[in-house]
Amino acid sequence: MKYIPKSILAILFCTGIFSSCAEKQDFDQLDDLDITPTAEASILYVETPEDLINQDPGTYFYSQTFNFDAFNEEFVADNILDGVITYELENTTSKPLDITFEFLDEAGNTLDSENFMLNAAPTAILTREIAYGPAGRSLDIIRNTSAIRVSTTNLGDNTSVSSLPNPTVFLRSSAKFRILLQ
Amino acid sequence: MIRTLGLLSILLLGYMTSFAQNKEVLYDFQEIPQAIMVNPGINTIYNWYAGIPFISGIYAKGATSGLTVNDIFAADGLDINQKVRDRALNSLSERDEVNGIFQVDVLNGGFRSQKNPANFFSFGMYIEGYALNYWPKDLAILAYEGNADRLGQRFDLNDLNASGQFINVLHFGINRQIKNNLTLGARIKLYSGILDIKSTNNSGYFETTLGENNLLRNTLVSDMRLRTSGLDALLDANDNGSSVAGLFTKRGLFGGDPGLGFDLGVTYNLNDQTVITGSLLDIGLLYHTSDVTNYTLKGSASIEGVEIILPDALNDPNADVWEDLVNEIEELVPFEENNNNYVSFRPIKFYSSIRYNFGKQGEPVADCDCDYKPNSGDRSLYYLNSVGAQLYAINRPRGPQFALTAFYQRRFAKVLTLKATYTVDKFTPTNVGLGMSLQAGPVNFYIMGDNLFSYGNIADSNYASFQLGLNIISWERN
């Protein structure tokens, strides 16, 4: 070391500390980053016992409209990419049933509907998946849905009682939507 | 709410951009006056020093574990989505982090007592900012991939752990040679908190399971909080176009949150050539009382969508079941805001070292014929070489972090001292650092950096730092 002047050593040192380089970075790649999580949750559950159906002296008909703003929340409506709605219907009553789901807009117009014919028990659980988006029905249905109407018609009598325990008709549904976050 | 979400996004993105705190090169570097800031009990070898305002100590350091800028942003032609998935989502754990700090000395000086030359006093003011963000693993998966097809998987809300602080510190320290082989030091620090953001000690989870009635059940159990102080004023100043610098100055000069802290240090000569040292820094806290806004999300709820159970539902056929559901969730898991004062603790740092001095005895760096230590004290300056090891630890929200350093120091008469370090910590096992102190008359210039092997591609570095400064030192006897 004694042959290297200290000033040269210091200069070399500083040069070393201050010298660095970096490979080329492309921060524009952020524009290509797709953050598209898929969220799923239940939508609607309706449970109707057979004795309620039998209380109706005529042909039982039940129809009710539920306010449902989950889909047309601005964030969902603006960013939904595609999705699937799953229906599961279970009938343990002694009656065949006709059940219709309808998606309604703010004005009450029907945007989409799904009809199910259920045999009297014993019958299998009916499951159906409806796709929305490029490979399915229009996403505008989802974006504009403000309410859901469920209508049920008894296609059988109003006296019989199923031998199964707690005879009931169950309507279950869930949604799985892919959302664009980035 | 939007502001909060924005803030959380900034904290999350902070993982990609922010800056650690081990000053292993500076520690026990006696020729540099600022070394007293990391060990108030260092052996002081000058009569007084004065740092050049704002440039006596400039320090910045950044560290990331598990991921580098280059891993994501290298222009390598690979799909960024695949890189994020492979190198972040599927690789990082909730213990991986980004942390960093900067410090700028506004004023820094020190002088030896004329009355009792065994006492050396130091004082000054510096500004410091730090940011720490752990990788929010489960929340990142939830945001990137969602909850679909993940029945029974709990997304842990504790993964959100981020904090940042911007403070001004006024300090005064005393360093006293107790015995020939023992020097003790202590420093008091008055903090003035400018900005504090903290979301730590969160708990809870989000989970999707098979429903009891409906197909799916979503459960949220949450005890989360975000504490801020000084943030609203900063955002308002930014929105109004008023002076952010003025706001910082006002809050920094004791118009912000008050705090008190202490540093302690010791140097002990086991024998003529072997020295051990230790210090504890920032044993202190701040009491956040000004411009405080806190957000909480606390409660638990499980939902299976809108539930209509007949015949009960017929009692109120016009009920807005959706609004009822939303209101029920908001009641069970309320998002609330308050202005309660709170306390934050400074991250305590611990240093210790053992040094062995050897080689041909040379002249001391300066002619400090200080009569208060006639024959002994730390005689390392009388040796050309030193070799040793240092241990560093810092208290972090997920437990202490450690770094182990081996070093070699070489002195070239009175003019030049070089120190080389090799450090192993959670960020890198190959951290080589260099430091230089250059003495030209009364002018002292120092510069140091670490993880130099990474300088070939700094973007691919898990750890980088630099520090430099300029001082005037008086070696004259009292």
Side-chain angles (χ1 to χ4, degrees):
Chain A
M1 278 296 181
K2 64 184 177 183
Y3 298 110
I4 303 175
K6 296 177 185 66
S7 56
I8 299 296
L9 194 60
I11 290 168
L12 286 173
F13 185 90
C14 290
T15 303
I17 293 282
F18 280 118
S19 298
S20 68
C21 50
E23 286 181 9
K24 185 182 176 189
Q25 305 295 302
D26 178 10
F27 295 102
D28 291 338
Q29 292 179 81
L30 271 179
D31 296 338
D32 300 326
L33 183 63
D34 294 326
I35 303 178
T36 55
T38 304
E40 66 176 351
S42 290
I43 303 174
L44 180 65
Y45 171 82
V46 183
E47 176 184 310
T48 311
E50 185 166 26
D51 59 358
L52 182 68
I53 299 173
N54 283 341
Q55 284 172 21
D56 193 315
T59 300
Y60 175 81
F61 178 79
Y62 167 80
S63 179
Q64 187 159 357
T65 302
F66 309 103
N67 175 36
F68 194 81
D69 290 321
F71 295 165
N72 69 355
E73 290 283 349
E74 188 178 349
F75 175 76
V76 176
D78 289 348
N79 297 288
I80 185 170
L81 296 173
D82 51 45
V84 173
I85 291 180
T86 301
Y87 302 91
E88 183 181 284
L89 293 94
E90 181 179 2
N91 183 15
T92 62
T93 73
S94 60
K95 300 156 180 62
L97 299 165
D98 179 339
I99 298 176
T100 301
F101 275 77
E102 292 173 273
F103 291 153
L104 312 177
D105 64 15
E106 290 273 5
N109 302 311
T110 300
L111 300 171
D112 192 21
S113 65
E114 199 62 31
N115 181 259
F116 303 88
M117 300 294 291
L118 292 176
N119 295 326
T123 185
I125 293 174
L126 178 60
T127 302
R128 189 178 298 168
E129 292 186 345
I130 306 297
Y132 294 85
R137 299 178 187 176
S138 170
L139 277 177
D140 286 339
I141 295 168
I142 301 297
R143 293 187 179 112
N144 294 312
T145 292
S146 176
I148 295 175
R149 181 159 61 213
V150 179
S151 305
T152 305
T153 304
N154 176 9
L155 303 178
D157 60 45
N158 55 8
T159 56
S160 62
V161 176
S162 170
S163 58
L164 294 173
N166 301 317
T168 307
V169 57
F170 300 95
L171 320 176
R172 306 182 180 99
S173 59
S174 68
K176 181 193 289 190
F177 290 156
R178 198 160 60 96
I179 307 290
L180 176 67
L181 290 187
Q182 151 87 20
Chain B
M1 181 67 180
I2 290 172
R3 177 180 279 195
T4 306
L5 288 173
L7 182 61
L8 286 173
S9 303
I10 290 168
L11 290 174
L12 292 174
L13 287 172
Y15 190 87
M16 308 291 287
T17 56
S18 88
F19 281 87
Q21 206 155 347
N22 182 9
K23 297 179 177 176
E24 73 274 16
V25 185
L26 179 65
Y27 187 77
D28 208 28
F29 203 136
Q30 293 165 287
E31 290 83 353
I32 301 172
Q34 277 68 25
I36 200 170
M37 297 303 295
V38 283
N39 181 4
I42 193 173
N43 189 43
T44 51
I45 58 173
Y46 25 75
N47 283 323
W48 62 264
Y49 73 90
I52 307 298
F54 294 99
I55 55 172
S56 61
I58 299 171
Y59 169 74
K61 196 163 196 171
T64 75
S65 65
L67 189 71
T68 66
V69 171
N70 193 68
D71 286 338
I72 301 298
F73 294 106
D76 51 13
L78 299 175
D79 178 15
I80 188 172
N81 295 289
Q82 198 59 40
K83 289 191 284 188
V84 168
R85 193 175 298 278
D86 293 343
R87 299 170 186 176
L89 283 180
N90 296 335
S91 297
L92 298 178
S93 83
E94 66 279 4
R95 299 193 70 84
D96 283 311
E97 64 174 275
V98 164
N99 71 71
I101 187 171
F102 77 90
Q103 276 181 359
V104 176
D105 274 350
V106 178
L107 293 170
N108 197 341
F111 62 93
R112 190 168 300 287
S113 166
Q114 292 190 1
K115 194 173 176 183
N116 183 355
N119 292 338
F120 187 87
F121 301 102
S122 62
F123 60 90
M125 185 168 77
Y126 66 88
I127 54 174
E128 175 187 305
Y130 83 85
L132 167 65
N133 190 18
Y134 287 92
W135 173 248
K137 180 180 171 68
D138 282 8
L139 299 180
I141 292 173
L142 190 58
Y144 204 82
E145 298 189 337
N147 68 325
D149 304 317
R150 292 176 179 269
L151 286 181
Q153 178 174 341
R154 287 190 172 186
F155 296 93
D156 191 348
L157 304 183
N158 182 42
D159 283 3
L160 179 61
N161 191 319
S163 57
Q165 197 170 68
F166 203 105
I167 61 173
N168 188 41
V169 184
L170 191 65
H171 58 88
F172 180 81
I174 182 168
N175 173 289
R176 180 179 174 87
Q177 185 178 1
I178 304 294
K179 296 191 292 188
N180 284 343
N181 61 350
L182 177 65
T183 302
L184 297 178
R187 178 181 296 109
I188 184 171
K189 291 177 167 176
L190 299 177
Y191 304 120
S192 184
I194 299 169
L195 176 67
D196 187 75
I197 302 171
K198 196 173 271 67
S199 184
T200 59
N201 299 320
N202 295 307
S203 65
Y205 62 88
F206 174 75
E207 182 183 28
T208 303
T209 54
L210 290 176
E212 289 182 8
N213 290 328
N214 210 338
L215 298 175
L216 299 169
R217 162 177 280 213
N218 300 114
T219 300
L220 177 65
V221 177
S222 171
D223 186 358
M224 303 181 77
R225 77 193 66 175
L226 172 67
R227 293 170 160 175
T228 72
S229 173
L231 181 64
D232 288 344
L234 178 66
L235 294 174
D236 289 344
N238 190 47
D239 291 346
N240 302 334
S242 53
S243 171
V244 172
L247 176 68
F248 269 54
T249 303
K250 180 183 169 191
R251 289 182 62 83
L253 294 176
F254 302 100
D257 300 326
L260 183 65
F262 301 93
D263 296 345
L264 301 171
V266 61
T267 297
Y268 183 74
N269 290 57
L270 292 175
N271 55 49
D272 197 44
Q273 289 181 273
T274 308
V275 183
I276 58 173
T277 72
S279 67
L280 273 173
L281 307 179
D282 278 326
I283 311 164
L285 52 81
L286 283 94
Y287 188 47
H288 300 280
T289 58
S290 59
D291 192 33
V292 171
T293 307
N294 305 315
Y295 306 90
T296 61
L297 185 68
K298 187 173 183 177
S300 62
S302 289
I303 60 164
E304 297 185 18
V306 173
E307 294 195 351
I308 309 296
I309 299 178
L310 300 174
D312 296 348
L314 296 175
N315 295 332
D316 186 7
N318 297 318
D320 189 336
V321 289
W322 171 251
E323 276 304 315
D324 289 348
L325 178 66
V326 170
N327 292 338
E328 184 185 345
I329 295 170
E330 288 180 347
E331 239 172 66
L332 291 170
V333 194
F335 178 77
E336 295 177 320
E337 188 177 324
N338 66 61
N339 304 106
N340 299 339
N341 299 339
Y342 66 96
V343 171
S344 71
F345 292 91
R346 297 282 295 152
I348 297 176
K349 276 85 73 178
F350 167 77
Y351 286 91
S352 65
S353 74
I354 183 166
R355 171 160 44 88
Y356 177 72
N357 306 307
F358 64 98
K360 176 186 170 187
Q361 287 193 347
E363 296 178 5
V365 160
D367 298 324
C368 180
D369 51 346
C370 312
D371 51 7
Y372 57 91
K373 48 174 187 175
N375 295 312
S376 58
D378 183 354
R379 296 177 58 83
S380 61
L381 296 175
Y382 296 83
Y383 290 88
L384 294 180
N385 306 282
S386 300
V387 66
Q390 298 169 187
L391 177 66
Y392 166 79
I394 183 169
N395 187 33
R396 290 296 195 203
R398 295 201 193 282
Q401 291 172 8
F402 299 91
L404 189 62
T405 298
F407 70 87
Y408 170 72
Q409 195 165 344
R410 171 79 183 185
R411 300 172 184 84
F412 300 92
K414 304 175 183 177
V415 177
L416 182 67
T417 304
L418 301 178
K419 181 178 179 181
T421 60
Y422 178 84
T423 301
V424 177
D425 60 17
K426 72 175 284 186
F427 301 102
T428 172
T430 56
N431 178 356
V432 172
L434 286 174
M436 179 191 78
S437 172
L438 185 64
Q439 192 69 39
V443 178
N444 167 261
F445 170 73
Y446 68 95
I447 183 171
M448 49 193 62
D450 63 6
N451 205 19
L452 300 179
F453 286 164
S454 72
Y455 280 30
N457 182 10
I458 198 76
D460 200 27
S461 172
N462 289 96
Y463 196 97
S465 82
F466 74 90
Q467 184 164 12
L468 53 85
L470 204 57
N471 299 290
I472 305 296
I473 298 179
S474 168
W475 306 91
E476 297 170 2
R477 61 182 304 177
N478 290 317

